[in-house]
Each structure stands twice: as structure tokens, then as C-alpha cells.
Amino acid sequence: MTVDAVHVASGKVREIYALGEDTLALVASDRISTFDVVLATQIPDKGRVLTGLSAFWFARTREIVPNHLLEIREDGRTMVCQRLEMLPIECVVRGYLAGSGWSDYRRTGSVCGHGLPAGLEESARLPEPIFTPATKATEGHDLNIDEEEAERLCGTERFLTAKQASLALYRFASAHAEARGIILADTKFELGVDPEGTVVLADEALTPDSSRFWPADSYQPGRPQPSFDKQYVRDWCEATGWDKASPGPELPDDVVAGTRARYVEAFERLTEIPFADYLARPGVVL
Ligand code: PZK
């Protein structure tokens, strides 16, 4: 007897269900988080944008690394995936200095053991993309670790494969995005291992929720960059005087509409597929 859709995990804005022994359904909601708080107001179709973008990248990066995607459901927000044994690290690649990378550099001159040139400013482009693994925190923020620690956690062979795959994925996607006016400042991959021992790309990938997307036309190092997708939400929330404690403020309709438009714009710029085509037939991204 098979029992379907057993809930196995919740992320901030996503759910995972087991469909059987070997497959999972990843469902992306329209919830949005800002300043680490999930807001009460949803962004219509946000989950579809993220699912469609992930599937687009999965279809175009199979030759770099195999991935867990089996099927994209007609609802546009559900990916049916192969169940894997997940690696115990987050595989982060940074091409620019932002977030914890910028904090660590300012404090120590290094990020995850990568010594960097002196005098870099906030949001600077790095001489080369760097692999900056982190441990998975069950709550709160991931902790950056050096490559030696990541290798110890994964085993040498899996670590080296995951590192090379992550850097190759970042190089491919950042070149694609930059040619379309979007800077992929950094991104986080989750990789797993299939029953044959092959390292496989999992989770969502190369979306604005797993990456920093910056508009290239306003890029200006020396300060934090506006987020391609969430900047309206952040600016509006800041202007309310909200103390960043849960629950956050409810978003007005114009902020919802503006934010939805930015997600759709990211989808259309990166995929060159009209979002309406995706809604009508999610398989168009494959
Ligand atoms: C898996 N997560 C993170 C994502 C959540 C949590 N293919 C896979 N096989 C086994 N496990 C996972 C995956 C994937 N993807 C991913 N946790 C487990 C996560 C989305 C929502 F609540």
C-alpha cells in the first residue's frame, strides 16, 4: 500500500512532502520573508516564479551536474524530485562581497579561509568566484566554515565534486544573468548523493530566494546594493518604522504589485520566456 504526500519538512516559505520511498514534492508558496521574518501578506505567483526559474536552470545545467528534478506539476509551484541523502553543508559561491562574506572580510581579511586582496569595498566584484561553504543551522543563520571543515563533514571525494560543481554552476549562471542585466552576486546550492553515490544538485537553485540578484544598471560598489526582487518590500517596511520583530507589517496593494512585477521581470529576463506562457504550460521552461 502506498501513502501519498506525507509532510516531511517546512522551510520558511516552502514545504516538502514524501510521495513514496524515493520521491519528494517540493512546494513553493507565495510567502515572502524580509529581515528574516515571514510576512502575513503573500506575493501572488512568487512560488511559481521560483519553481519555474529553478526548473529552467536544472534543464540547462544537467551537463554540469545531474539534478533531482523529475517533473514539474501543472500547478507551476510543485517539483517532483528524487529523494537523496543530503550533504551536511550549504554550498555557497560568491562572486561579489556581500552579506556574511563582507562582514567576515571586514573583520579578518578572509572569507572561509580565502585570503582576499586588501582594500576591497562592500559589494566589490571578487577577482575570482570563491566557494564559501556553511553549516546548516536548524534555526538562525548558517555558519561559514573553511574548506577543510567542509571536507571533513562531507568526505574528500564528495566535497571536491560538490565544490567543482558549485563553482561551474555559478560561472554558467552568472554569465547568463549578467548578459541579461542581472548580477548574480552569490548563491547557495544544496547537493545530495543518489543511491549510486553520484553527487546530485537538489533543492531550488539560482532563484532570488537562494541567491542575491542585483540590477546591473545601478551597480555601484562601496555600499549595499538594492535587491532585484525585494527592495520595494524592504524599503516600505523600513519606512513604517517596524522594529523587525514578528509579525511584520501587512503590505499595501501597490507594494505587492510592484514586488510581483519584479519577480516576473527576473523570470522573463533570465528565461526569455513570457511568464504567461509558463502559467499556461509550466513545461515550457524545460
Ligand atoms: C531536502 N531540504 C531543504 C527545502 C524545506 C526544506 N531531493 C531531496 N532529497 C532529500 N532531502 C531533500 C531534498 C531536496 N530538495 C531538502 N530538506 C530536505 C528544504 C524546502 C523546504 F522545508
Side-chain angles (χ1 to χ4, degrees), residues 32-97:
I32 188 168
S33 71
T34 188
F35 304 112
D36 285 328
V37 172
V38 178
L39 301 179
T41 313
Q42 304 206 349
I43 306 300
D45 294 326
K46 172 176 175 282
R48 294 189 174 91
V49 166
L50 269 51
T51 299
L53 263 180
S54 286
F56 169 84
W57 292 116
F58 284 146
R60 281 152 190 80
T61 59
R62 291 213 165 88
E63 283 72 58
I64 299 174
V65 58
N67 61 69
H68 71 162
L69 179 63
L70 298 173
E71 176 196 327
I72 177 158
R73 291 255 169 101
E74 287 306 309
D75 67 4
R77 66 171 73 252
T78 304
M79 292 193 301
V80 179
C81 302
Q82 181 185 20
R83 194 170 195 160
L84 304 167
E85 178 199 335
M86 300 304 288
L87 296 185
I89 60 167
E90 309 276 6
C91 292
V92 178
V93 181
R94 300 172 189 274
Y96 292 76
L97 214 38

Side-chain angles (χ1 to χ4, degrees), residues 123-186:
S123 308
R125 185 178 182 129
L126 297 173
E128 297 264 32
I130 55 175
F131 183 66
T132 60
T135 55
K136 298 183 194 199
T138 30
E139 57 188 80
H141 280 117
D142 297 339
L143 182 71
N144 287 342
I145 55 176
D146 63 20
E147 292 191 353
E148 186 185 1
E149 174 73 359
E151 182 175 338
R152 197 185 60 72
L153 289 167
C154 297
T156 297
E157 192 178 320
R158 288 173 176 189
F159 166 77
L160 288 173
T161 306
K163 176 185 172 180
Q164 290 323 313
S166 298
L167 285 166
L169 287 165
Y170 176 83
R171 287 184 189 282
F172 173 84
S174 59
H176 179 96
E178 190 169 275
R180 290 158 185 81
I182 294 175
I183 294 174
L184 179 61
D186 53 41

Side-chain angles (χ1 to χ4, degrees), residues 9-11 14-16 24 26 68 81-84 86 190 202-203:
S10 290
R14 296 176 303 156
E15 306 294 335
I16 302 190
L24 298 174
L26 261 69
H68 71 162
C81 302
Q82 181 185 20
R83 194 170 195 160
L84 304 167
M86 300 304 288
E190 295 235 23
D203 206 283

